[in-house]
Amino acid sequence: MASRSFPVSLARRAFASPRSPRVASRTIPLAARPLSSLWEAYRPAVRIAGQRRAFSATSRSRFADVDETFDPRQQERESDEVDVCIVGGGPAGLSAAIRLKQLANEAGNEDFRVLLLEKAGELGDHIVSGNVMEPSALNELLPDWNSEDNPNRFEHTTPAKVDKMRFLTKNGSIPLPKPPQMNNHGNYILSLNQLVKWLGERAEEVGVEIYPGFAASELLYDHEGVVKGVATNDLGISREGKPKDSFERGMEFHARVTLLGEGCHGSLAKQAIKKYDLRRDSQHQTYGLGIKEIWEIQPEKFQSGLIAHSLGYPLPTDTYGGGWMYHFGDNLVSIGLVVGLDYPNPWLAPYGEFQKMKQHPFYREFLEGGKCISYGARTLIEGGFQSIPKCAFPGGALIGDTAGFVNLPKIKGTHTAMRSGMLAAEASWDALQGNQSGTVFLYDYEDKLRNSSIWTELKQVRNMRPSFHNPLGLYGGVLYSGLTAYLFRGKEPWTFKHGKPDHAATKTADQCKKIEYPKPDGKISFDILTSVSRSGTNHEEDQPVHLQVKDWDKHTQMEWPKYKGVENRFCPAGVYEYVEDESKDLGVRFQINAQNCVHCKTCDIKDPSQDINWSTPQGGEGPKYVLT
């Protein structure tokens, strides 16, 4: 029987919400199959647990029955064939998608299919960033993005005007000179959440197919071990791992090229890095945890375009990190703290440090009388040049924060993420034009990276972050960073190595001083569950816990005696607890409140025993960030 197809747009109209990104009309080819099953491909789309899905040809057999041995993974998955599949709807993924369709449309190949999967219910829902954006990459991708003559211009920008750098003591602040790389002239303060939504609209205009609410959970390989696409996770699985009445098998998306733009510490990127040994020539990655709030402050305190950064208090001298405050929009302030996850003291709680920071006079004077309207948290890449892995693998590539292109001393990564996506797009397009059937390996992408401004930027500042691993801690790092910024300018012939991996840097509780955090006042500082409520986080409770720990009791035995509940403190969302339980040998029971998870990935990175694996929950779940 001849192959058939049906327009995605017809199915999608059944569940599109007013806030959902539009999906360009495309066709999904259906492989030849018996007439008795073809009708099911035309069944109306339905909304399940907030996801946008359509019933596939195996729908009739997807419901639980009395057979307790039923394994849902034995059910056949529906599949779709595209030219390029991009995982992640952040700046890197959307830039890659737009550039690919620009190239295809310019060549007259409008049937070239570029599909983008995003685990959030809507584009931008999981995006957290400062953000002061250097517009160089966006100027190249969409030259009229901020033009007054463009009716679809991105309107939510605040030009950077004033830079302040302070070293904070407990009650005072000392002005510091602004390093050259932190010059923000020509940059813009904005909400990356809003920018990503706008980029999604531009992507649809050029014909990119965007599938929000689809959580890619598995890399697919051909018989030679080449990545041939991804699969999304199953829906309707109970907490015990059994199929419910709403069970639906995930989908497979097959592609000649698969680009992974999942952001920091992506779950699929972890699989690819391990399988292809992509870190064989690089150092381990290092990370920071960024915790952020958006405030609406009193108009008389608002200073449009103000950019302030701080070092020192409240963090101890053996802990890397710093605070920020950006004034943007109409009386809005972005305020946050980044804590390097190689901090040694297990009693330290990044969330508690952030609450203390806001009480410092330097920040409190702006926040007092204002209102906190949004909260978010996310890990970020800090490893820089030394930690960049091989970025191309058989059948695909790593892009953006997934690969680690953040310029940490510059406190910027959006422009490098976007540029990496564009370079990967150009390499993918060229490779596919010259290779119609064989394995695609993006050698050209690796070459483009090394010849790009990304490489130049990161190499120049390569020694700043690892310089903080010295006997003087913070002070030694600041001193060396000043020398390399003003004198060496990255031309020093040496390259420092990073210290221990973040999880291995954690000392035992008995080696460190216990930290007692003040009770929140409910005006400037808040308890953690109040903050989580401002993130819009939601997960269906009856599903497998996506924070995977094989044996919770064994985890307790490994962690509690040494670290006395470090998971309670490194998590910025109250996910982990040790609850008193006299029936347990240690008198405590390890508990995971997965519904609270804001998808920051801190646990996967910082857990000393590396016993927690962050995996994707059902698509469309997690935080629903606003203005972050």
Side-chain angles (χ1 to χ4, degrees):
M1 179 178 292
S3 176
R4 305 229 182 158
S5 64
F6 73 98
V8 173
S9 57
L10 292 178
R12 284 213 174 294
R13 279 204 296 265
F15 46 71
S17 66
R19 297 184 62 190
S20 300
R22 296 181 305 279
V23 180
S25 176
R26 290 292 179 272
T27 59
I28 294 181
L30 301 176
R33 60 176 74 133
L35 282 172
S36 60
S37 66
L38 277 175
W39 72 274
E40 295 201 62
Y42 294 84
R43 294 181 64 178
V46 296
R47 190 178 182 110
I48 299 178
Q51 283 207 71
R52 298 155 177 85
R53 295 287 184 99
F55 273 111
S56 72
T58 57
S59 300
R60 287 179 294 183
S61 60
R62 287 182 174 178
F63 299 104
D65 54 30
V66 294
D67 182 6
E68 294 296 326
T69 64
F70 171 69
D71 183 356
R73 291 169 298 183
Q74 295 176 355
Q75 300 296 301
E76 181 181 356
R77 290 188 287 214
E78 190 70 23
S79 65
D80 188 15
E81 300 279 347
V82 300
D83 293 291
V84 178
C85 178
I86 300 171
V87 180
L94 286 165
S95 297
I98 291 170
R99 186 68 187 123
L100 275 163
K101 286 300 293 184
Q102 286 175 341
L103 292 168
N105 294 344
E106 289 168 5
N109 187 359
E110 295 185 358
D111 292 330
F112 186 84
R113 295 190 65 198
V114 178
L115 182 142
L116 185 146
L117 302 176
E118 167 56 42
K119 66 182 174 66
E122 296 180 17
L123 290 181
D125 282 0
H126 292 177
I127 296 291
V128 184
S129 179
N131 179 290
V132 179
M133 187 188 73
E134 179 184 309
S136 56
L138 188 52
N139 289 339
E140 183 180 334
L141 181 67
L142 300 168
D144 64 346
W145 73 276
N146 200 30
S147 171
E148 295 287 350
D149 298 328
N150 178 10
N152 293 320
R153 66 189 289 264
F154 182 68
E155 299 179 342
H156 308 292
T157 59
T158 300
K161 294 178 182 177
V162 179
D163 280 290
K164 291 183 179 180
M165 174 70 80
R166 294 289 188 270
F167 183 90
L168 302 185
T169 61
K170 187 173 182 179
N171 295 305
S173 66
I174 303 169
L176 293 175
K178 180 184 64 178
Q181 68 271 8
M182 292 182 68
N183 180 11
N184 284 299
H185 178 72
N187 296 336
Y188 296 91
I189 307 171
L190 51 81
S191 159
L192 197 60
N193 168 282
Q194 289 181 319
L195 180 65
V196 160
K197 292 180 185 295
W198 179 86
L199 283 172
E201 294 173 357
R202 307 289 77 77
E204 290 166 359
E205 289 174 353
V206 294
V208 177
E209 302 172 51
I210 299 176
Y211 286 60
F214 280 63
S217 60
E218 178 186 349
L219 287 175
L220 303 175
Y221 307 95
D222 68 11
H223 64 284
E224 295 179 337
V226 176
V227 170
K228 67 173 185 178
V230 299
T232 62
N233 55 12
D234 298 333
L235 295 177
I237 302 293
S238 73
R239 194 177 180 91
E240 291 74 32
K242 298 185 181 298
K244 300 185 290 187
D245 287 348
S246 58
F247 172 73
E248 184 188 0
R249 193 78 163 100
M251 283 190 67
E252 293 188 2
F253 294 92
H254 299 169
R256 297 289 311 286
V257 173
T258 301
L259 301 180
L260 302 181
E262 304 168 284
C264 176
H265 206 63
S267 52
L268 295 187
K270 287 194 303 180
Q271 298 176 31
I273 289 170
K274 182 177 180 180
K275 180 176 179 65
Y276 299 112
D277 193 19
L278 300 181
R279 289 207 177 279
R280 58 186 177 273
D281 298 323
S282 68
Q283 293 182 34
H284 61 268
Q285 189 56 264
T286 66
Y287 303 88
L289 170 60
I291 302 175
K292 172 180 181 176
E293 291 174 350
I294 299 293
W295 282 67
E296 184 176 4
I297 66 171
Q298 294 173 338
E300 61 270 22
K301 298 180 179 180
F302 180 69
Q303 300 177 27
S304 181
L306 171 64
I307 296 172
H309 293 105
S310 68
L311 295 172
Y313 182 87
L315 297 178
T317 57
D318 61 359
T319 298
Y320 181 85
W324 82 80
M325 177 178 60
Y326 308 146
H327 289 223
F328 72 109
D330 295 324
N331 304 320
L332 296 177
V333 164
S334 163
I335 183 169
L337 175 70
V338 173
V339 179
L341 287 179
D342 58 351
Y343 65 84
N345 189 345
W347 297 106
L348 186 144
Y351 181 86
E353 298 295 320
F354 176 48
Q355 302 310 310
K356 284 169 59 178
M357 187 195 86
K358 289 186 295 175
Q359 295 287 6
H360 190 279
F362 181 69
Y363 292 111
R364 185 183 178 95
E365 66 170 313
F366 290 100
L367 302 181
E368 239 171 355
K371 179 183 179 182
C372 180
I373 59 177
S374 186
Y375 170 81
R378 188 69 168 92
T379 49
L380 63 147
I381 298 292
E382 290 191 349
F385 185 76
Q386 294 92 318
S387 299
I388 300 174
K390 298 292 183 184
C391 294
F393 52 83
L398 309 176
I399 59 176
D401 278 6
T402 295
F405 297 131
V406 173
N407 185 329
L408 190 65
K410 204 173 189 176
I411 317 181
K412 290 174 181 62
T414 303
H415 68 293
T416 49
M418 294 182 70
R419 180 160 281 113
S420 70
M422 295 156 63
L423 294 176
E426 292 165 2
S428 299
W429 172 257
D430 292 342
L432 290 174
Q433 302 319 296
N435 184 343
Q436 299 302 315
S437 58
T439 298
V440 176
F441 197 99
L442 301 181
Y443 294 107
D444 194 34
Y445 174 48
E446 296 276 3
D447 292 338
K448 287 177 179 291
L449 283 174
R450 283 162 176 75
N451 293 320
S452 73
S453 60
I454 299 173
W455 215 255
T456 304
E457 271 191 47
L458 297 186
K459 186 175 182 180
Q460 185 174 11
V461 299
R462 67 191 182 280
N463 285 327
M464 289 191 179
R465 175 63 178 95
S467 73
F468 284 79
H469 295 290
N470 70 83
L472 297 178
L474 173 65
Y475 303 110
V478 170
L479 177 62
Y480 183 87
S481 295
L483 286 173
T484 193
Y486 291 100
L487 182 62
F488 303 145
R489 298 184 183 276
K491 296 180 181 178
E492 59 266 40
W494 56 83
T495 297
F496 293 153
K497 292 184 177 182
H498 294 302
K500 297 177 181 178
D502 294 340
H503 70 276
T506 312
K507 295 181 178 179
T508 57
D510 59 3
Q511 293 178 291
C512 302
K513 182 180 178 181
K514 188 173 183 179
I515 302 174
E516 298 288 350
Y517 290 96
K519 184 178 179 181
D521 62 12
K523 297 178 181 178
I524 302 295
S525 54
F526 309 100
D527 66 85
I528 203 165
L529 294 183
T530 296
S531 292
V532 173
S533 71
R534 293 189 177 121
S535 71
T537 297
N538 182 60
H539 295 87
E540 182 183 347
E541 185 172 359
D542 189 19
Q543 65 173 300
V545 176
H546 67 279
L547 304 158
Q548 298 171 349
V549 177
K550 291 182 179 179
D551 188 326
W552 292 17
D553 288 336
K554 182 179 179 181
H555 180 89
T556 305
Q557 295 287 342
M558 290 191 297
E559 299 271 346
W560 176 259
K562 292 182 179 180
Y563 306 106
K564 300 301 181 185
V566 64
E567 305 93 330
N568 294 12
R569 295 180 287 274
F570 64 51
C571 176
V575 171
Y576 300 98
E577 287 185 281
Y578 282 94
V579 182
E580 291 186 7
D581 188 339
E582 294 181 359
S583 68
K584 300 294 184 180
D585 293 340
L586 295 174
V588 293
R589 169 172 48 85
F590 183 56
Q591 180 169 301
I592 301 177
N593 306 308
Q595 300 95 313
N596 289 4
C597 180
V598 294
H599 298 195
C600 73
K601 314 284 184 70
T602 305
C603 53
D604 198 317
I605 296 165
K606 184 61 174 172
D607 174 50
S609 65
Q610 289 294 276
D611 192 39
I612 300 174
N613 178 55
W614 192 96
S615 61
T616 52
Q618 293 182 156
E621 299 190 344
K624 192 175 181 62
Y625 290 137
V626 176
L627 292 174
T628 51

